[in-house]
Protein backbone atom coordinates (compact mmCIF):
# COMPACT_ATOMS: atom_id res chain seq x y z
CA UNK A 1 0.00 0.00 0.00
CA UNK A 2 1.49 3.37 -1.03
CA UNK A 3 0.98 5.91 1.75
CA UNK A 4 0.66 9.38 0.20
CA UNK A 5 1.33 12.78 1.72
CA UNK A 6 -0.33 15.60 -0.26
CA UNK A 7 1.08 19.12 -0.58
CA UNK A 8 -1.67 21.40 -1.92
CA UNK A 9 -5.30 20.37 -1.56
CA UNK A 10 -6.98 22.76 -4.01
CA UNK A 11 -8.79 21.89 -7.24
CA UNK A 12 -6.73 19.06 -8.67
CA UNK A 13 -5.26 18.03 -5.29
CA UNK A 14 -8.77 17.29 -4.04
CA UNK A 15 -9.62 15.40 -7.24
CA UNK A 16 -6.50 13.23 -6.87
CA UNK A 17 -7.18 12.58 -3.16
CA UNK A 18 -10.70 11.44 -4.06
CA UNK A 19 -9.52 9.15 -6.85
CA UNK A 20 -6.84 7.56 -4.63
CA UNK A 21 -9.35 6.95 -1.84
CA UNK A 22 -12.47 6.07 -3.88
CA UNK A 23 -11.52 4.83 -7.34
CA UNK A 24 -7.97 3.48 -7.46
CA UNK A 25 -6.39 0.60 -5.58
CA UNK A 26 -3.11 0.18 -3.73
CA UNK A 27 -2.83 3.70 -2.30
CA UNK A 28 -4.08 5.69 0.66
CA UNK A 29 -3.77 9.25 2.00
CA UNK A 30 -2.02 9.61 5.37
CA UNK A 31 -0.98 13.27 5.42
CA UNK A 32 -2.14 16.63 4.07
CA UNK A 33 -0.56 20.06 3.87
CA UNK A 34 -1.90 23.33 2.46
CA UNK A 35 -1.23 26.98 3.24
CA UNK A 36 -4.98 27.13 3.71
CA UNK A 37 -5.27 24.97 6.85
CA UNK A 38 -9.00 25.45 7.21
CA UNK A 39 -9.60 24.00 3.75
CA UNK A 40 -7.33 20.98 4.34
CA UNK A 41 -8.91 20.29 7.73
CA UNK A 42 -12.39 20.47 6.25
CA UNK A 43 -11.37 17.99 3.56
CA UNK A 44 -10.11 15.55 6.21
CA UNK A 45 -13.42 15.89 8.01
CA UNK A 46 -15.70 15.73 4.95
CA UNK A 47 -13.97 12.70 3.48
CA UNK A 48 -13.42 11.00 6.83
CA UNK A 49 -9.71 10.68 6.04
CA UNK A 50 -7.45 9.00 8.55
CA UNK A 51 -4.79 11.59 7.75
CA UNK A 52 -2.68 14.03 9.74
CA UNK A 53 -2.51 17.74 8.85
CA UNK A 54 1.00 19.25 8.68
CA UNK A 55 1.33 23.04 8.81
CA UNK A 56 4.81 22.63 7.31
CA UNK A 57 4.99 20.85 3.95
CA UNK A 58 8.61 19.82 4.48
CA UNK A 59 7.71 18.11 7.73
CA UNK A 60 5.10 16.14 5.78
CA UNK A 61 7.68 15.11 3.20
CA UNK A 62 9.98 13.88 6.00
CA UNK A 63 7.26 11.99 7.91
CA UNK A 64 8.16 8.31 8.36
CA UNK A 65 4.76 7.04 7.29
CA UNK A 66 4.80 9.00 3.99
CA UNK A 67 6.09 6.76 1.15
CA UNK A 68 5.21 9.06 -1.73
CA UNK A 69 4.46 12.77 -2.04
CA UNK A 70 1.70 14.17 -4.24
CA UNK A 71 2.69 17.73 -5.15
CA UNK A 72 -0.44 19.60 -6.21
CA UNK A 73 0.19 23.10 -4.86
CA UNK A 74 0.83 26.16 -7.06
CA UNK A 75 3.53 25.74 -9.69
CA UNK A 76 6.16 28.07 -8.14
CA UNK A 77 6.20 25.93 -4.96
CA UNK A 78 6.61 22.54 -6.73
CA UNK A 79 10.41 22.50 -6.91
CA UNK A 80 11.17 22.75 -3.19
CA UNK A 81 8.92 19.83 -2.27
CA UNK A 82 9.97 17.64 -5.19
CA UNK A 83 13.66 18.17 -4.43
CA UNK A 84 13.13 17.53 -0.75
CA UNK A 85 11.40 14.20 -1.45
CA UNK A 86 13.91 13.09 -4.08
CA UNK A 87 16.84 13.80 -1.76
CA UNK A 88 15.19 11.51 0.80
CA UNK A 89 14.79 8.82 -1.87
CA UNK A 90 10.99 9.15 -1.76
CA UNK A 91 8.68 8.85 -4.75
CA UNK A 92 6.93 12.00 -6.02
CA UNK A 93 3.96 12.52 -8.29
CA UNK A 94 4.14 16.21 -9.27
CA UNK A 95 1.45 18.03 -11.20
CA UNK A 96 2.67 20.09 -14.13
CA UNK A 97 4.86 22.10 -14.20
CA UNK A 98 7.66 20.10 -12.56
CA UNK A 99 9.23 23.51 -11.81
CA UNK A 100 8.78 26.93 -13.34
CA UNK A 101 12.22 27.19 -14.98
CA UNK A 102 14.25 24.74 -17.03
CA UNK A 103 17.23 25.21 -14.67
CA UNK A 104 15.12 24.25 -11.66
CA UNK A 105 13.94 21.14 -13.51
CA UNK A 106 17.58 20.23 -14.21
CA UNK A 107 18.34 20.51 -10.49
CA UNK A 108 15.63 17.88 -9.89
CA UNK A 109 17.01 15.74 -12.74
CA UNK A 110 20.50 15.85 -11.15
CA UNK A 111 19.18 15.00 -7.69
CA UNK A 112 17.20 12.05 -9.10
CA UNK A 113 20.19 10.71 -11.05
CA UNK A 114 22.26 10.92 -7.84
CA UNK A 115 19.71 8.61 -6.21
CA UNK A 116 20.22 6.23 -9.15
CA UNK A 117 16.50 5.47 -9.24
CA UNK A 118 13.46 6.87 -11.05
CA UNK A 119 11.45 8.59 -8.33
CA UNK A 120 9.51 11.34 -10.13
CA UNK A 121 6.42 11.21 -12.34
CA UNK A 122 5.06 14.45 -13.81
CA UNK A 123 1.30 14.91 -14.24
CA UNK A 124 1.23 15.06 -18.05
CA UNK A 125 -1.85 12.85 -18.06
CA UNK A 126 -2.52 12.95 -21.79
CA UNK A 127 0.05 10.19 -22.36
CA UNK A 128 -2.43 7.96 -20.47
CA UNK A 129 -5.52 9.09 -22.40
CA UNK A 130 -6.95 6.20 -24.46
CA UNK A 131 -7.42 8.48 -27.49
CA UNK A 132 -3.81 9.68 -27.56
CA UNK A 133 -2.56 6.13 -26.93
CA UNK A 134 -4.59 4.89 -29.94
CA UNK A 135 -3.35 7.78 -32.07
CA UNK A 136 0.25 6.96 -31.15
CA UNK A 137 -0.31 3.31 -32.02
CA UNK A 138 -1.64 4.28 -35.45
CA UNK A 139 1.45 6.43 -36.08
CA UNK A 140 3.89 3.83 -34.70
CA UNK A 141 2.25 1.06 -36.78
CA UNK A 142 3.00 3.08 -39.90
CA UNK A 143 -0.72 3.39 -40.77
CA UNK A 144 -0.34 6.94 -42.11
CA UNK A 145 3.28 6.70 -43.17
CA UNK A 146 5.77 9.27 -42.00
CA UNK A 147 4.08 12.21 -40.24
CA UNK A 148 4.60 15.49 -42.12
CA UNK A 149 2.33 17.99 -40.35
CA UNK A 150 0.30 18.15 -37.17
CA UNK A 151 -2.60 20.50 -36.45
CA UNK A 152 -3.74 20.83 -32.84
CA UNK A 153 -6.14 22.99 -30.87
CA UNK A 154 -6.52 23.49 -27.12
CA UNK A 155 -9.72 25.36 -26.36
CA UNK A 156 -11.07 26.28 -22.92
CA UNK A 157 -14.54 27.87 -22.68
CA UNK A 158 -13.42 30.67 -20.38
CA UNK A 159 -10.58 31.77 -18.07
CA UNK A 160 -10.57 34.15 -15.11
CA UNK A 161 -8.94 37.58 -14.95
CA UNK A 162 -5.76 36.21 -13.37
CA UNK A 163 -4.98 34.29 -16.56
CA UNK A 164 -2.18 36.07 -18.46
CA UNK A 165 -0.84 35.78 -22.00
CA UNK A 166 2.19 33.64 -20.99
CA UNK A 167 -0.14 31.19 -19.22
CA UNK A 168 -1.45 30.19 -22.65
CA UNK A 169 1.95 28.50 -22.96
CA UNK A 170 2.98 27.66 -19.37
CA UNK A 171 -0.39 26.53 -18.10
CA UNK A 172 -2.33 25.43 -21.17
CA UNK A 173 -0.19 24.54 -24.19
CA UNK A 174 2.32 22.84 -21.89
CA UNK A 175 0.16 19.72 -22.33
CA UNK A 176 0.61 19.80 -26.13
CA UNK A 177 4.32 20.53 -25.67
CA UNK A 178 4.64 17.30 -23.74
CA UNK A 179 2.27 15.02 -25.60
CA UNK A 180 3.08 15.96 -29.20
CA UNK A 181 6.79 15.12 -29.18
CA UNK A 182 5.93 11.86 -27.37
CA UNK A 183 3.32 11.14 -30.04
CA UNK A 184 5.78 11.73 -32.87
CA UNK A 185 8.82 10.34 -31.05
CA UNK A 186 10.65 13.50 -32.03
CA UNK A 187 12.19 16.66 -30.54
CA UNK A 188 11.38 20.34 -31.04
CA UNK A 189 13.94 22.59 -32.72
CA UNK A 190 12.18 25.94 -33.14
CA UNK A 191 9.11 27.95 -32.18
CA UNK A 192 7.19 30.90 -33.58
CA UNK A 193 4.04 32.66 -32.33
CA UNK A 194 1.46 34.63 -34.29
CA UNK A 195 -1.67 36.36 -33.04
CA UNK A 196 -4.96 36.17 -34.94
CA UNK A 197 -7.69 38.76 -34.45
CA UNK A 198 -8.49 38.99 -30.74
CA UNK A 199 -11.81 37.75 -29.36
CA UNK A 200 -13.99 40.36 -27.67
CA UNK A 201 -14.35 37.95 -24.72
CA UNK A 202 -10.68 38.16 -23.69
CA UNK A 203 -9.59 40.52 -20.88
CA UNK A 204 -7.67 43.63 -22.01
CA UNK A 205 -4.35 42.21 -20.80
CA UNK A 206 -4.78 38.83 -22.55
CA UNK A 207 -3.87 37.89 -26.12
CA UNK A 208 -6.46 35.28 -27.10
CA UNK A 209 -6.42 33.27 -29.35
CA UNK A 210 -2.80 32.53 -30.18
CA UNK A 211 -1.14 30.20 -32.68
CA UNK A 212 2.18 28.57 -31.82
CA UNK A 213 4.12 26.89 -34.60
CA UNK A 214 6.92 24.50 -33.80
CA UNK A 215 9.20 22.45 -35.99
CA UNK A 216 10.70 19.11 -35.02
CA UNK A 217 14.11 17.57 -35.66
CA UNK A 218 12.57 15.30 -38.34
CA UNK A 219 11.02 18.36 -40.03
CA UNK A 220 7.39 17.92 -38.92
CA UNK A 221 5.55 21.26 -38.86
CA UNK A 222 3.17 21.61 -35.92
CA UNK A 223 0.62 24.36 -35.36
CA UNK A 224 -1.24 24.65 -32.06
CA UNK A 225 -4.19 26.97 -31.63
CA UNK A 226 -4.69 28.06 -28.03
CA UNK A 227 -8.07 29.68 -27.49
CA UNK A 228 -9.08 30.02 -23.86
CA UNK A 229 -12.30 32.02 -24.21
CA UNK A 230 -13.85 29.94 -26.97
CA UNK A 231 -17.18 29.87 -25.09
CA UNK A 232 -18.66 26.71 -26.60
CA UNK A 233 -16.77 24.03 -24.64
CA UNK A 234 -13.53 22.34 -23.64
CA UNK A 235 -12.21 21.00 -26.89
CA UNK A 236 -8.95 19.24 -27.62
CA UNK A 237 -8.09 18.50 -31.25
CA UNK A 238 -5.19 16.75 -32.87
CA UNK A 239 -4.79 15.80 -36.52
CA UNK A 240 -1.61 14.14 -37.79
CA UNK A 241 -1.04 14.37 -41.54
CA UNK A 242 1.20 11.62 -42.87
CA UNK A 243 2.53 10.56 -46.28
CA UNK A 244 -0.15 7.86 -46.63
CA UNK A 245 -3.09 9.22 -44.65
CA UNK A 246 -4.39 11.32 -41.79
CA UNK A 247 -4.99 10.20 -38.20
CA UNK A 248 -7.26 12.07 -35.79
CA UNK A 249 -7.51 12.12 -32.00
CA UNK A 250 -10.88 10.44 -31.26
CA UNK A 251 -13.71 12.62 -29.98
CA UNK A 252 -14.81 11.83 -26.39
CA UNK A 253 -17.63 9.28 -26.38
CA UNK A 254 -20.79 11.36 -25.89
CA UNK A 255 -24.27 10.30 -26.99
CA UNK A 256 -25.56 11.43 -30.38
CA UNK A 257 -29.24 12.34 -30.63
CA UNK A 258 -31.21 12.65 -33.88
CA UNK A 259 -34.23 14.81 -33.14
CA UNK A 260 -36.30 17.58 -34.69
CA UNK A 261 -34.34 17.61 -37.92
CA UNK A 262 -31.03 17.89 -36.12
CA UNK A 263 -28.11 15.68 -35.14
CA UNK A 264 -26.84 16.77 -31.71
CA UNK A 265 -23.88 15.71 -29.65
CA UNK A 266 -22.88 17.35 -26.36
CA UNK A 267 -19.40 18.83 -25.94
CA UNK A 268 -17.73 18.60 -22.52
CA UNK A 269 -17.16 21.85 -20.65
CA UNK A 270 -14.03 21.18 -18.60
CA UNK A 271 -10.73 19.34 -18.44
CA UNK A 272 -11.71 17.33 -15.34
CA UNK A 273 -14.40 15.46 -17.25
CA UNK A 274 -12.45 15.28 -20.51
CA UNK A 275 -9.41 13.58 -18.96
CA UNK A 276 -10.94 11.88 -15.91
CA UNK A 277 -9.88 8.39 -17.06
CA UNK A 278 -6.40 9.59 -17.99
CA UNK A 279 -5.91 11.01 -14.47
CA UNK A 280 -7.07 7.70 -13.00
CA UNK A 281 -4.75 5.70 -15.24
CA UNK A 282 -1.66 7.86 -14.68
CA UNK A 283 -1.91 7.70 -10.88
CA UNK A 284 -2.83 3.99 -10.89
CA UNK A 285 0.30 3.34 -13.00
CA UNK A 286 2.39 5.34 -10.49
CA UNK A 287 0.97 3.33 -7.57
CA UNK A 288 1.37 -0.01 -9.36
CA UNK A 289 4.98 0.68 -10.27
CA UNK A 290 5.81 1.54 -6.66
CA UNK A 291 3.96 -1.46 -5.23
CA UNK A 292 5.54 -3.83 -7.79
CA UNK A 293 9.01 -2.33 -7.44
CA UNK A 294 9.08 -1.63 -11.21
CA UNK A 295 10.51 1.44 -12.92
CA UNK A 296 8.14 4.42 -13.17
CA UNK A 297 6.68 4.49 -16.68
CA UNK A 298 5.03 7.92 -16.74
CA UNK A 299 6.53 11.26 -17.84
CA UNK A 300 9.86 11.72 -16.07
CA UNK A 301 11.66 14.70 -14.62
CA UNK A 302 13.58 14.85 -17.93
CA UNK A 303 10.20 15.28 -19.68
CA UNK A 304 9.45 18.01 -17.14
CA UNK A 305 12.72 19.73 -18.13
CA UNK A 306 12.08 19.35 -21.88
CA UNK A 307 8.61 20.87 -21.47
CA UNK A 308 9.87 23.77 -19.32
CA UNK A 309 12.66 24.66 -21.75
CA UNK A 310 10.33 24.50 -24.76
CA UNK A 311 7.76 26.61 -22.93
CA UNK A 312 10.44 29.22 -22.11
CA UNK A 313 11.28 29.57 -25.81
CA UNK A 314 7.57 29.78 -26.75
CA UNK A 315 7.05 32.56 -24.18
CA UNK A 316 10.02 34.46 -25.68
CA UNK A 317 8.48 33.90 -29.13
CA UNK A 318 5.23 35.45 -27.85
CA UNK A 319 7.17 38.65 -27.27
CA UNK A 320 8.58 38.65 -30.83
CA UNK A 321 5.55 37.75 -32.97
CA UNK A 322 6.48 36.08 -36.23
CA UNK A 323 10.12 35.50 -35.27
CA UNK A 324 11.42 31.91 -35.33
CA UNK A 325 13.42 31.09 -32.19
CA UNK A 326 15.62 28.01 -31.75
CA UNK A 327 14.90 25.37 -29.11
CA UNK A 328 18.09 23.72 -27.89
CA UNK A 329 17.63 20.93 -25.39
CA UNK A 330 20.56 19.42 -23.51
CA UNK A 331 21.63 15.90 -24.51
CA UNK A 332 19.26 13.42 -22.81
CA UNK A 333 21.22 11.37 -20.22
CA UNK A 334 21.26 7.58 -20.69
CA UNK A 335 19.34 7.33 -17.37
CA UNK A 336 16.21 8.78 -19.03
CA UNK A 337 16.39 6.99 -22.42
P1 LIG B 1 -5.67 25.57 -6.87
O1 LIG B 1 -5.38 27.02 -6.71
O2 LIG B 1 -7.09 25.12 -6.97
O3 LIG B 1 -4.99 24.75 -5.68
C1 LIG B 1 -3.68 24.97 -5.24
C2 LIG B 1 -3.63 24.69 -3.75
O4 LIG B 1 -2.26 24.77 -3.31
C3 LIG B 1 -4.42 25.72 -2.93
O5 LIG B 1 -5.27 25.03 -2.02
C4 LIG B 1 -3.35 26.54 -2.21
O6 LIG B 1 -3.77 27.02 -0.96
C5 LIG B 1 -2.22 25.51 -2.09
N1 LIG B 1 -0.87 26.06 -1.99
C6 LIG B 1 -0.33 27.08 -2.71
N2 LIG B 1 0.95 27.27 -2.37
C7 LIG B 1 1.26 26.35 -1.44
C8 LIG B 1 2.43 26.02 -0.72
N3 LIG B 1 3.56 26.70 -0.88
N4 LIG B 1 2.38 24.99 0.14
C9 LIG B 1 1.23 24.28 0.33
N5 LIG B 1 0.09 24.56 -0.32
C10 LIG B 1 0.08 25.57 -1.20
O7 LIG B 1 -4.85 25.11 -8.16
P2 LIG B 1 -5.06 23.78 -9.02
O8 LIG B 1 -5.91 24.08 -10.19
O9 LIG B 1 -5.42 22.66 -8.14
O10 LIG B 1 -3.57 23.59 -9.60
C11 LIG B 1 -2.55 23.03 -8.81
C12 LIG B 1 -1.45 22.50 -9.74
O11 LIG B 1 -2.00 21.49 -10.58
C13 LIG B 1 -0.87 23.57 -10.68
O12 LIG B 1 0.50 23.34 -10.82
C14 LIG B 1 -1.60 23.34 -12.00
O13 LIG B 1 -0.84 23.70 -13.13
C15 LIG B 1 -1.81 21.84 -11.97
N6 LIG B 1 -3.01 21.42 -12.73
C16 LIG B 1 -2.89 20.41 -13.59
C17 LIG B 1 -3.97 20.02 -14.37
C18 LIG B 1 -3.82 18.92 -15.36
O14 LIG B 1 -4.65 18.83 -16.25
N7 LIG B 1 -2.84 18.06 -15.24
C19 LIG B 1 -5.19 20.65 -14.21
C20 LIG B 1 -5.30 21.66 -13.28
C21 LIG B 1 -4.20 22.04 -12.53
C1 LIG C 1 -5.24 23.73 -16.54
O1 LIG C 1 -4.25 24.04 -15.57
C2 LIG C 1 -4.96 22.40 -17.13
O2 LIG C 1 -3.95 21.78 -16.91
C3 LIG C 1 -5.92 21.98 -18.15
O3 LIG C 1 -5.65 20.69 -18.62
C4 LIG C 1 -5.84 22.99 -19.29
O4 LIG C 1 -6.77 22.66 -20.30
C5 LIG C 1 -6.14 24.39 -18.79
O5 LIG C 1 -5.98 25.30 -19.86
C6 LIG C 1 -5.18 24.76 -17.67
O6 LIG C 1 -5.54 26.03 -17.15
Amino acid sequence: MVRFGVVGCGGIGTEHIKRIMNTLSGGTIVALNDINEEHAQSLIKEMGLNAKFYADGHELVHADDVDAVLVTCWGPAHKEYVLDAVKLGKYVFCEKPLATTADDCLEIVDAEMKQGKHLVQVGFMRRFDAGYVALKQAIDNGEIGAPLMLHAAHRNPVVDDRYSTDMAINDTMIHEIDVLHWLLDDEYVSAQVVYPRKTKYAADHLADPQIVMVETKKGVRIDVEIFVNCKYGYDIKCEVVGEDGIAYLPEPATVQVRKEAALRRPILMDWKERFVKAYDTEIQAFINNINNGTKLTGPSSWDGYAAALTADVCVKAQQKPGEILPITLKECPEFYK
Side-chain angles (χ1 to χ4, degrees), residues 95-139:
E95 260 311 330
K96 54 79 168 164
L98 175 60
T100 49
T101 69
D103 282 347
D104 284 353
C105 291
L106 282 179
E107 219 177 305
I108 294 170
V109 161
D110 286 345
E112 191 180 32
M113 286 202 296
K114 265 194 199 117
Q115 293 291 335
K117 188 176 175 188
H118 291 265
L119 296 167
V120 181
Q121 182 171 325
V122 184
F124 288 126
M125 75 294 180
R126 290 195 189 178
R127 295 190 190 200
F128 293 89
D129 174 71
Y132 276 106
V133 170
L135 184 56
K136 182 162 175 57
Q137 259 163 17
I139 297 169

Side-chain angles (χ1 to χ4, degrees), residues 96 125-126 154 156 163 171-172 175 228 234 236 271 279:
K96 54 79 168 164
M125 75 294 180
R126 290 195 189 178
H154 189 150
N156 288 229
Y163 192 97
D171 194 51
T172 298
H175 287 292
V228 293
Y234 181 75
I236 303 298
W271 46 265
Y279 294 120

Side-chain angles (χ1 to χ4, degrees), residues 265-293:
R265 218 179 144 170
I267 293 176
L268 301 175
M269 284 305 279
D270 78 30
W271 46 265
K272 278 181 222 152
E273 267 183 288
R274 170 65 180 83
F275 287 111
V276 64
K277 286 216 171 70
Y279 294 120
D280 287 348
T281 315
E282 67 170 352
I283 295 182
Q284 189 65 68
F286 179 73
I287 293 173
N288 291 351
N289 282 320
I290 298 175
N291 281 333
N292 298 336

Side-chain angles (χ1 to χ4, degrees), residues 14-230:
T14 302
E15 294 282 318
H16 288 342
I17 291 169
K18 286 185 180 161
R19 61 173 39 90
I20 289 168
M21 294 308 291
N22 304 333
T23 311
L24 310 183
S25 59
T28 190
I29 308 290
V30 296
L32 297 188
N33 157 264
D34 197 294
I35 48 172
N36 182 346
E37 170 165 1
E38 206 185 315
H39 171 66
Q41 294 283 16
S42 70
L43 201 60
I44 292 178
K45 215 165 150 197
E46 268 166 39
M47 289 191 62
L49 295 174
N50 188 12
K52 180 173 169 188
F53 174 78
Y54 288 82
D56 180 346
H58 293 284
E59 224 177 277
L60 172 147
V61 174
H62 285 252
D64 285 341
D65 64 347
V66 168
D67 307 312
V69 184
L70 185 60
V71 178
T72 40
C73 53
W74 294 328
H78 288 182
K79 177 197 164 187
E80 57 174 297
Y81 297 113
V82 176
L83 257 188
D84 203 10
V86 168
K87 285 180 179 169
L88 290 168
K90 292 196 180 188
Y91 289 99
V92 195
F93 182 94
C94 179
E95 260 311 330
K96 54 79 168 164
L98 175 60
T100 49
T101 69
D103 282 347
D104 284 353
C105 291
L106 282 179
E107 219 177 305
I108 294 170
V109 161
D110 286 345
E112 191 180 32
M113 286 202 296
K114 265 194 199 117
Q115 293 291 335
K117 188 176 175 188
H118 291 265
L119 296 167
V120 181
Q121 182 171 325
V122 184
F124 288 126
M125 75 294 180
R126 290 195 189 178
R127 295 190 190 200
F128 293 89
D129 174 71
Y132 276 106
V133 170
L135 184 56
K136 182 162 175 57
Q137 259 163 17
I139 297 169
D140 291 350
N141 291 344
E143 263 183 66
I144 58 163
L148 310 173
M149 292 174 278
L150 190 154
H151 311 295
H154 189 150
R155 304 194 187 114
N156 288 229
V158 67
V159 287
D160 66 34
D161 274 354
R162 287 168 303 175
Y163 192 97
S164 51
T165 294
D166 61 308
M167 284 172 76
I169 307 287
N170 286 326
D171 194 51
T172 298
M173 187 196 154
I174 194 91
H175 287 292
E176 272 76 18
I177 290 177
D178 177 69
V179 83
L180 298 184
H181 81 89
W182 167 81
L183 203 58
L184 298 172
D185 193 17
D186 207 343
E187 263 182 36
Y188 305 125
V189 293
S190 71
Q192 179 187 21
V193 174
V194 291
Y195 298 103
R197 179 177 173 184
K198 178 174 165 167
T199 166
K200 67 179 179 196
Y201 297 113
D204 289 347
H205 65 268
L206 177 65
D208 186 42
Q210 305 180 26
I211 297 173
V212 182
M213 288 173 285
V214 285
E215 192 183 1
T216 71
K217 219 172 190 170
K218 293 177 190 164
V220 180
R221 291 280 179 172
I222 298 176
D223 54 273
V224 183
E225 169 204 313
I226 310 143
F227 187 13
V228 293
N229 286 285
C230 81

Side-chain angles (χ1 to χ4, degrees), residues 224-276:
V224 183
E225 169 204 313
I226 310 143
F227 187 13
V228 293
N229 286 285
C230 81
K231 292 287 168 195
Y232 73 89
Y234 181 75
D235 210 4
I236 303 298
K237 304 270 183 215
C238 184
E239 173 185 340
V240 188
V241 182
E243 284 171 327
D244 297 319
I246 300 180
Y248 297 89
L249 179 69
E251 289 283 336
T254 51
V255 172
Q256 275 193 16
V257 175
R258 286 177 148 78
K259 194 176 170 188
E260 289 160 356
L263 176 60
R264 293 183 64 83
R265 218 179 144 170
I267 293 176
L268 301 175
M269 284 305 279
D270 78 30
W271 46 265
K272 278 181 222 152
E273 267 183 288
R274 170 65 180 83
F275 287 111
V276 64

Side-chain angles (χ1 to χ4, degrees), residues 1 30 44 87 136 138 191 297 305 324 330:
M1 182 64 74
V30 296
I44 292 178
K87 285 180 179 169
K136 182 162 175 57
T297 44
Y305 154 73
I324 300 172
K330 286 190 179 293

